[in-house]
């Protein structure tokens, strides 16, 4: 005889209302059951499935089950392997607690899932530039996706980061020229997840004429990226060993990307972008140490006397100065959250787009000068672009 909790699982899956189930506390300690199993809906080429994600101590495995078989598998796991489960639906979060005889206690709380998961999944995948279920060759080679287009469990954060970046790029593509080949520079490219993603979006999917240059100080990383670009057939993607401040190979660039360039290396990249007349700048700063040593103000002493608070304030002040200086030069600037702060505190992205006829803003310059004087700071970006400020600058 089917118990009430079993029938509810059958109904939730049948209606596409199970957003996620987390199974825990294995009945046996012999290792036959994963310490934790997570089930979620996933859209594949041949329709809606439920992905069973088994979390063992040293590995994570997946099994994609058809919608018709998912309820049977889930009920079987609960009856045989687990003492506890949390199931999220549009109407409630349901906790199942099993005693030694296998009898279930059912506890229901207000829902946190919010909506029908299958519908949400379809909408989310349409919005993502790199949809799960459709393998992107560079993601497969970088170990983020399987050849079948499934994202590895341990790479979910990186997958979301890449998509978030591409969404931010897509929002400003209208500012890039369309009548000629684009030149894009990625300073401090590292392993180049985002560089490859950018090339895939623009050159492969949108068939734009582009060339991208990735620059990094680490020769071994550049060798790896160059080899991968060749393997993928990305013939307009070049990787070079070099320092941002010393790079003088270009006279102009349409877009400049810099991800986690340390301290004033971010300023060097921004200065290069401005001098090249870049239409789009995407910068995620890192390790803003410079102003920590400079900032001082008696009024702010309760804040600045605490090292941790001063460090965070100095980082914010650094990026505020950078953004305002770009606005002085006619850029439209937005400060955006790049990734969930749960994963990294270095999650602020400066996105700047150049207006058609940039005009130096004296009002923004005056605003910046007051800010600078109030904090007793002299940011590197101001010095690097000294010849561009209004004549009355000090």
């Amino acid at each position: 005889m089917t118990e009430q909790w079993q029938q509810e699982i059958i109904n939730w899956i049948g209606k596409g209302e199970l957003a996620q189930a987390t199974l825990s506390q294995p009945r046996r300690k012999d290792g036959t059951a994963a310490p934790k199993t997570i089930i979620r809906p996933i859209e594949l080429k041949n329709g809606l499935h439920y992905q069973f994600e088994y979390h063992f101590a040293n590995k994570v495995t997946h099994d994609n089950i058809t919608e018709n078989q998912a309820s049977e598998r889930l009920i079987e796991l609960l009856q045989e392997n687990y003492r506890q489960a949390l199931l999220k639906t549009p109407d409630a979060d349901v906790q199942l607690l099993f005693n030694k005889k296998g009898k279930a206690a059912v506890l229901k709380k207000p829902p946190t899932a919010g909506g029908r998961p299958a519908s949400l999944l379809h909408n989310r995948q349409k919005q993502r530039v790199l949809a799960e279920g459709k393998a992107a060759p560079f993601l497969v080679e970088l170990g983020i996706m399987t050849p079948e287009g499934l994202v590895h469990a341990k790479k979910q954060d990186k997958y979301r980061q890449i998509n978030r970046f591409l969404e931010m790029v897509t929002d400003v593509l209208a500012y890039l020229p369309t009548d000629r080949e684009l030149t894009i520079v990625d300073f401090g490219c590292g392993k180049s997840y985002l560089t490859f993603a950018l090339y895939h979006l623009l050159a492969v999917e949108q068939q734009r004429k582009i060339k991208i240059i990735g620059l990094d100080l680490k020769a071994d990383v550049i060798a790896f990226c160059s080899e991968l670009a060749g393997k993928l057939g990305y013939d307009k993607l070049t990787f070079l060993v070099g320092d941002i401040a010393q790079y003088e190979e270009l006279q102009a660039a349409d877009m400049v990307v810099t991800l986690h360039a340390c301290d004033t290396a971010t300023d060097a990249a921004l200065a290069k972008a401005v001098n090249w007349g870049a239409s789009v700048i995407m910068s995620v700063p890192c390790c803003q140490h410079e102003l920590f040593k400079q900032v001082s103000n008696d009024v702010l002493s309760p804040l600045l006397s605490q090292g941790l608070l001063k460090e965070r304030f100095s980082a914010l002040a650094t990026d505020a100065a950078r953004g305002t200086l770009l606005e002085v030069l006619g850029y439209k600037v937005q400060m955006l959250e790049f990734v969930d702060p749960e994963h990294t505190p270095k999650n602020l992205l400066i996105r700047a787009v150049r207006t058609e006829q940039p005009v130096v803003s004296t009002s923004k310059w005056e605003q910046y000068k007051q800010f600078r004087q109030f904090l007793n700071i002299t940011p590197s970006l101001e010095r690097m672009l000294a010849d561009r400020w209004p004549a009355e600058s000090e």
Side-chain angles (χ1 to χ4, degrees):
M1 182 177 177
T2 303
E3 295 186 36
Q4 180 64 29
W5 67 269
Q6 296 173 336
Q7 188 59 53
E8 287 186 327
I9 287 176
I10 294 171
N11 292 340
W12 290 328
I13 291 180
K15 295 177 182 179
E17 293 182 342
L18 180 64
Q20 180 176 301
T22 302
L23 316 185
S24 58
Q25 294 190 14
R27 294 177 185 272
R28 298 184 299 274
K29 297 183 179 180
D30 56 5
T32 56
K36 180 171 69 175
T37 294
I38 299 175
I39 299 101
R40 59 172 64 90
I42 179 173
E43 184 72 26
L44 300 181
K45 292 180 181 179
N46 54 344
L48 181 66
H49 284 59
Y50 282 82
Q51 184 177 84
F52 285 65
E53 189 175 273
Y54 304 101
H55 290 250
F56 292 92
N58 298 315
K59 65 178 180 178
V60 177
T61 63
H62 298 86
D63 195 5
N64 296 321
I65 308 298
T66 63
E67 187 177 2
N68 294 333
Q69 299 173 324
S71 57
E72 181 180 348
R73 172 68 66 85
L74 176 51
I75 291 171
E76 179 184 344
L77 286 173
L78 289 172
Q79 287 178 321
E80 298 181 3
N81 292 351
Y82 293 96
R83 297 181 184 275
Q84 182 171 302
L86 176 63
L87 301 99
K88 296 188 176 185
T89 76
D91 299 319
D93 283 4
V94 182
Q95 188 174 23
L96 300 177
L97 301 171
F98 295 88
N99 61 24
K100 293 181 179 180
K101 295 182 180 181
K103 187 70 175 178
V106 180
L107 305 174
K108 293 187 178 182
K109 297 181 179 180
T112 57
R116 296 175 62 87
S119 299
L120 286 176
L121 179 64
H122 285 293
N123 291 339
R124 185 172 65 248
Q125 289 202 335
K126 288 176 183 176
Q127 293 170 359
R128 281 183 171 171
V129 180
L130 301 171
E132 189 166 7
K134 180 183 178 182
F138 81 95
L139 290 178
V140 175
E141 293 293 335
L142 289 170
I144 295 174
M145 271 186 174
T146 68
E148 295 75 32
L150 300 179
V151 178
H152 293 292
K154 293 183 179 180
K155 295 295 184 178
Q156 287 287 344
D157 290 345
K158 180 61 69 175
Y159 171 67
R160 286 191 288 269
Q161 182 194 66
I162 292 171
N163 267 292
R164 174 66 172 149
F165 174 73
L166 293 183
E167 289 167 5
M168 291 177 170
V169 171
T170 301
D171 288 343
V172 295
L173 287 181
Y175 290 89
L176 293 173
T178 57
D179 57 348
R180 57 175 173 77
E181 182 182 72
L182 296 175
T183 299
I184 300 172
V185 181
D186 185 351
F187 283 127
C189 59
K191 200 172 179 180
S192 301
Y193 291 97
L194 302 186
T195 324
F196 284 108
L198 196 57
Y199 191 94
H200 177 85
L201 172 67
L202 297 178
V204 178
E205 292 195 354
Q206 297 188 1
Q207 296 291 301
R208 292 197 181 202
K209 293 181 178 179
I210 66 168
K211 64 177 179 181
I212 299 183
I213 300 165
L215 191 75
D216 200 275
L217 288 170
K218 298 177 181 177
D220 57 337
V221 172
I222 291 300
F224 168 82
C225 294
S226 296
E227 182 179 352
L228 181 53
K231 183 176 182 179
L232 293 168
Y234 291 179
D235 57 346
K236 300 293 285 184
L237 176 55
T238 304
F239 292 96
L240 302 172
V241 177
D243 180 83
I244 295 173
Q246 304 301 319
Y247 184 71
E248 302 290 347
E249 302 302 315
L250 290 176
Q251 298 299 315
D254 299 294
M255 180 177 179
V256 172
V257 176
T258 170
L259 180 67
H260 295 161
C262 189
D263 201 17
T264 57
T266 292
D267 299 294
L270 294 177
K272 292 282 186 184
V274 169
N275 287 328
W276 286 336
S279 299
V280 174
I281 302 171
M282 308 279 284
S283 176
V284 179
C286 180
C287 307
Q288 300 97 319
H289 297 310
E290 181 187 35
L291 297 195
F292 181 84
K293 302 172 184 177
Q294 299 180 15
V295 64
S296 64
N297 184 292
D298 290 341
V299 175
L300 297 178
S301 59
L303 185 154
L304 300 178
S305 63
Q306 297 292 330
L308 178 60
L309 296 181
K310 182 179 179 182
E311 179 182 1
R312 293 182 180 178
F313 178 80
S314 299
L316 293 173
T318 301
D319 292 329
R322 289 165 172 162
T324 305
L325 287 172
L326 290 174
E327 288 177 329
V328 172
L329 299 176
Y331 279 87
K332 180 181 177 182
V333 177
Q334 289 177 291
M335 301 287 176
L336 303 170
E337 188 174 78
F338 182 36
V339 291
D340 193 325
E342 175 184 347
H343 305 302
T344 173
K346 302 168 185 176
N347 69 327
L348 183 146
L349 182 141
I350 302 172
R351 184 172 70 186
V353 293
R354 191 168 179 263
T355 54
E356 290 187 10
Q357 294 181 329
V359 177
V360 174
S361 171
T362 54
S363 62
K364 281 289 181 181
W365 176 247
E366 290 302 322
Q367 184 183 80
Y368 167 77
K369 286 200 301 180
Q370 292 179 24
F371 179 73
R372 178 191 63 188
Q373 291 164 6
F374 181 72
L375 296 179
N376 292 295
I377 56 175
T378 54
S380 286
L381 186 60
E382 180 189 344
R383 299 195 301 274
M384 292 175 180
L385 296 172
D387 60 339
R388 289 183 171 268
W389 310 125
E392 65 269 25
S393 64
E394 296 176 359

